Amino acid sequence: MQAHVHICGHPVHPMLIAFPLGLLPASIAADLARILTGGDIWGIFAFWLIVAGIASGLVAGTVGFVDWIHLPEGTKARRVGAAHALANLCMLILFAVSAGLRLGDPGDPSAVAVVLSLVGLLLGFVGGWLG
């Protein structure tokens, strides 16, 4: 499959996914560091990692969507691409809700906020496997 969005023949979508792929799991690591150390700075760091991960994920998803709409109708690639997009969109939504729950006190996120991030990460694994 040839990507529709490319730079000098290189597909852009795989270049962009490196950002959310690194930032969002790093937020989980920062949450774990906050739990282990009690340091609020780790919670604040996790919050900003989530914000950057969501922003970069939206950019990567937009480019991926442009590639997807150019796939032929009724093909397996189009069906799998739709499932990939849906899983990753749900992941971004869960992380966004987690970020929203952290707004009041990002240094001390609720257990619900952390669990939503973990579930989002699991969905990201599924989306990545499909992609």
Side-chain angles (χ1 to χ4, degrees), residues 28-39:
I28 303 293
D31 277 334
L32 181 61
R34 188 202 59 79
I35 291 167
L36 293 175
T37 67

Side-chain angles (χ1 to χ4, degrees), residues 2-123:
Q2 178 67 28
H4 191 73
V5 180
H6 55 86
I7 297 173
C8 298
H10 298 281
V12 174
H13 180 66
M15 294 179 204
L16 295 176
I17 61 131
F19 294 101
L21 186 65
L23 293 164
L24 294 173
S27 74
I28 303 293
D31 277 334
L32 181 61
R34 188 202 59 79
I35 291 167
L36 293 175
T37 67
D40 285 357
I41 191 70
W42 290 109
I44 295 166
F45 187 47
F47 172 77
W48 287 109
L49 286 167
I50 291 170
V51 170
I54 292 168
S56 61
L58 290 172
V59 172
T62 301
V63 172
F65 178 74
V66 172
D67 285 343
W68 178 80
I69 61 174
H70 288 90
L71 292 173
E73 293 282 340
T75 61
K76 182 179 179 182
R78 189 155 171 123
R79 288 189 304 275
V80 173
H84 165 74
L86 182 61
N88 287 323
L89 179 60
C90 290
M91 171 196 68
L92 290 176
I93 290 168
L94 287 171
F95 272 102
V97 173
S98 175
L101 292 172
R102 296 165 189 257
L103 279 175
D105 186 7
D108 187 24
S110 68
V112 172
V114 174
V115 168
L116 285 173
S117 291
L118 285 169
V119 174
L121 184 64
L122 293 175
L123 266 174

